[in-house]
Amino acid sequence: MKRKNVILTGMLCLTMMAGTALAGCSDGDAPAKKDTSLKVTASKVKTVEDISEDAVSKVLSDNKYDLATVDKDYYFRDAIFIGDSRTQGLMMFSTMENARFYADKGMSTVGAFKKPSIMKDGKMMTIAEVLKSGDYGKVYISLGINELGYPNPDKFIERFAELIDIAKETNPKAEIYVEGILPVSANKSMADPNINNEKITLYNNKLCGMAKNKKVNYLHIADAVADETGALPPEASPDGVHLNKTFCMKWEKYLMENTF
């Protein structure tokens, strides 16, 4: 297996959907995605090396694309994934060989500014410093599970918004995706006063509203991994929080079908 271009300092995974504010978001619709109006059919795409990115985006928007049909390295070669141990799980189990993962166990929006845990260009950086480098075309941010116990969720939203501002200022052409916090299992939710699905819904509503105000994409990937009650099914996770390989692949499939 090819070695992924990643920073791994801890262990384990989370969720997403682009261009639309979905379940768990009560603040209205997020910005619509651009219409490229290009005519390319999925059956004609054998390789993407000589096809424009706009054309490929149109193919994916018009067809629920089969992951085996295209080269994922093409789509994720300019992408960075920022997050905590759940994002590390996506890194470990995904097939996105050229994506860069800047994730750390226990990462939060506080740590994103204060904790130099990411090795880049030969030195340890904070996530905020990594964003200031600007060498990316797509940014996926998954943070929040470690901040559900904080007394003021609005402070979490303010810090998350500041990360978005840094990315937009440094690289204004980058596509930014705010990931809704994945649910936990029903058993975990009932047993934990802080990490539970009621709080996750509250935080996700705030994330969605913030994404709308910032004119970036909100991704509600719980749609790809949750059961009919909105919780992680028992078979999705060994601890009720982190996704196993099968469900991380559901997350990856969701990205391929909804963020291009």
Side-chain angles (χ1 to χ4, degrees):
M1 184 176 72
K2 288 190 287 183
R3 185 179 182 274
K4 295 182 185 175
N5 218 349
V6 300
I7 304 299
L8 176 62
T9 56
M11 150 102 195
L12 279 149
C13 181
L14 184 86
T15 108
M16 315 186 219
M17 164 156 183
T20 307
L22 299 177
C25 178
S26 60
D27 263 324
D29 293 336
K33 290 183 73 64
K34 293 175 283 190
D35 181 7
T36 62
S37 69
L38 296 174
K39 303 299 181 184
V40 181
T41 62
S43 61
K44 294 180 181 179
V45 179
K46 303 301 182 184
T47 176
V48 294
E49 296 307 320
D50 58 350
I51 300 174
S52 76
E53 188 166 357
D54 281 347
V56 176
S57 296
K58 181 62 176 174
V59 171
L60 287 168
S61 67
D62 287 348
N63 303 273
K64 289 302 181 183
Y65 221 72
D66 181 353
L67 295 186
T69 310
V70 293
D71 181 0
K72 287 183 281 297
D73 286 354
Y74 178 86
Y75 302 108
F76 293 109
R77 67 186 177 190
D78 62 348
I80 63 174
F81 287 82
I82 289 169
D84 47 43
S85 57
R86 287 169 142 187
T87 298
Q88 288 181 325
L90 179 64
M91 182 277 297
M92 288 163 52
F93 295 129
S94 78
T95 60
M96 298 179 288
E97 295 291 343
N98 280 353
R100 288 170 289 169
F101 287 78
Y102 299 121
D104 188 24
K105 182 179 179 181
M107 183 53 66
S108 64
T109 57
V110 174
F113 289 95
K114 295 185 176 181
K115 185 180 180 183
S117 59
I118 307 301
M119 177 63 73
K120 188 174 188 294
D121 299 332
K123 64 179 181 179
M124 297 301 291
M125 296 184 179
T126 65
I127 283 174
E129 289 169 335
V130 169
L131 283 173
K132 289 176 183 177
S133 68
D135 60 338
Y136 46 80
K138 306 175 188 74
V139 183
Y140 298 84
I141 307 177
S142 293
L143 294 169
I145 191 69
N146 297 308
E147 295 171 88
L148 295 176
Y150 287 12
N152 188 354
D154 290 334
K155 290 295 184 182
F156 160 73
I157 295 297
E158 288 173 13
R159 290 187 295 266
F160 204 120
E162 190 174 347
L163 290 173
I164 291 173
D165 289 341
I166 291 171
K168 292 173 77 170
E169 289 165 9
T170 306
N171 196 352
K173 293 184 178 180
E175 195 78 14
I176 299 172
Y177 298 96
V178 174
E179 302 180 48
I181 303 169
L182 277 173
V184 295
S185 69
N187 286 342
K188 175 67 176 177
S189 185
M190 288 186 293
D192 197 313
N194 292 318
I195 302 176
N196 58 64
N197 289 328
E198 182 178 359
K199 282 196 172 183
I200 289 171
T201 298
L202 170 66
Y203 274 56
N204 281 345
N205 284 337
K206 290 180 177 291
L207 280 174
C208 184
M210 182 270 294
K212 177 183 176 183
N213 290 336
K214 292 292 182 182
K215 295 181 170 56
V216 298
N217 302 284
Y218 174 76
L219 309 175
H220 191 68
I221 302 179
D223 287 349
V225 299
D227 63 20
E228 64 278 2
T229 72
L232 280 185
E235 67 273 18
S237 171
D239 61 2
V241 177
H242 298 94
L243 301 184
N244 60 26
K245 180 176 181 178
T246 298
F247 277 75
C248 279
M249 291 304 295
K250 290 177 182 289
W251 177 1
E252 179 182 334
K253 184 174 187 290
Y254 187 90
L255 289 177
M256 287 297 298
E257 292 183 343
N258 293 285
T259 66
F260 295 98

